[in-house]
């Protein structure tokens, strides 16, 4: 069974991470399926909005650590690079329902969403530096722009996590709900009933100021990230994670 579940309800496509036994850690195959889902949705007139969500109790524990070790993404051709590009360029409303852990790219992908609803259990973190890595997905630009330099630097440099209330206060999430998926689906269906071209134009205008800057910073981040992935600091952090899990 695919580890990305795609279901359509009216004009709303839901893409759900489906690897709950590994806390929905994202593999290369999952990134490829996500890109494909987004790219097809972009070209399908019947799809008016996409919702990202997850099976189980957690959104995602971020990139699969084994994949980082065995198949480090080092080129623009990698599945993760293609996914990030699809995310940046997705022209229709993108919403997310987040419960439990949203680690690494699980949080940075939200910076590209138009509406995020946080579950009461949501816990966000971007521990890139703790793993010997650097921020990605344009987050080194988008996150300080959202929350201010000092707070962004503290969160990136300590790896500390934050909850749904903080995410709302920061502007990373729009609201908190015990059932974030039901909440976000209502908003997505409402958006799907609006005139579609007006919605696409509205999103393009909202994103216009940042688009080229984010594309450029993503490229720069990716180059440093690719080198960092093969560093001693990263290897040590990955080995520590693996040994903690008795792998
Ligand atoms: N890659 C691969 N497997 C992962 C994973 C990841 N990023 N995150 C969690 N898993 C797996 C665990 O190995 C475990 O599998 P197992 O039962 O076969 O051992 C399962 O998911 C559950 O995770 P576990 O670590 O037991 O849960 P926890 O509640 O003790 O801890 C976290 C939760 C998120 C703190 C911990 O899993 C973690 O630190 N994960 C790595 C997060 C990370 O660094 N992501 C990369 C960001 S760039």
């Amino acid at each position: 069974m695919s580890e990305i579940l795609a279901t359509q309800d009216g004009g709303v496509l839901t893409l759900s991470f489906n690897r709950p036994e590994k806390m929905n850690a994202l593999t290369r195959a999952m990134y490829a399926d996500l890109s494909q889902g987004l790219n097809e949705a972009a070209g399908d007139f019947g799809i008016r909005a996409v919702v990202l969500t997850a099976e189980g109790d957690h959104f995602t524990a971020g990139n699969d650590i084994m994949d980082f070790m065995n198949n480090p993404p080092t080129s623009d051709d990698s599945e993760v690079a293609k996914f990030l590009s699809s995310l940046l360029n997705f022209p229709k409303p993108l919403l997310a329902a987040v419960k439990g852990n949203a680690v690494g790219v699980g949080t940075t992908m939200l910076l590209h969403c138009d509406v995020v609803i946080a579950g009461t259990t949501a816990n966000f973190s971007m521990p890139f530096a703790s793993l010997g890595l650097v921020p990605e997905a344009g987050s080194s630009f988008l996150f300080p722009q959202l929350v201010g330099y000092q707070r962004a630097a503290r969160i990136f440099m300590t790896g500390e996590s934050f909850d749904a209330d903080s995410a709302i206060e920061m502007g990373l999430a729009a609201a908190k709900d015990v059932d974030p998926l039901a909440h976000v689906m209502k908003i997505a269906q409402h958006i799907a009933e609006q005139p579609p071209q007006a919605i696409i134009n509205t999103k393009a205008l909202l994103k216009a100021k940042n688009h080229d800057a984010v594309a450029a910073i993503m490229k720069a981040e990716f180059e440093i990230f690719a080198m960092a992935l093969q560093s001693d600091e990263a290897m040590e952090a990955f080995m520590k994670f693996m040994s903690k899990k008795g792998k």
Side-chain angles (χ1 to χ4, degrees), residues 209-225:
K209 179 168 73 90
N210 276 345
H211 182 277
D212 292 356
V214 176
I217 198 81
M218 264 190 185
K219 197 167 156 43
E221 287 170 347
F222 199 77
E223 281 170 19
I224 304 172
F225 198 96

Side-chain angles (χ1 to χ4, degrees), residues 19-26 58 60-68 101 103-106 125-128 131 133-134 136 225 238 241-242 244-247:
R19 200 183 173 217
E21 71 285 2
K22 294 288 179 188
M23 216 173 266
N24 292 317
L26 295 167
H58 299 276
T60 169
N63 202 106
D64 187 277
I65 301 273
M66 284 289 275
D67 259 12
F68 264 164
N101 290 323
V103 186
V105 71
S125 61
M126 295 176 282
F128 301 109
L131 289 167
L133 302 173
V134 294
E136 39 70 307
F225 198 96
F238 298 158
F241 174 75
M242 302 307 277
K244 204 176 77 189
K245 299 291 157 198
K247 304 257 159 55

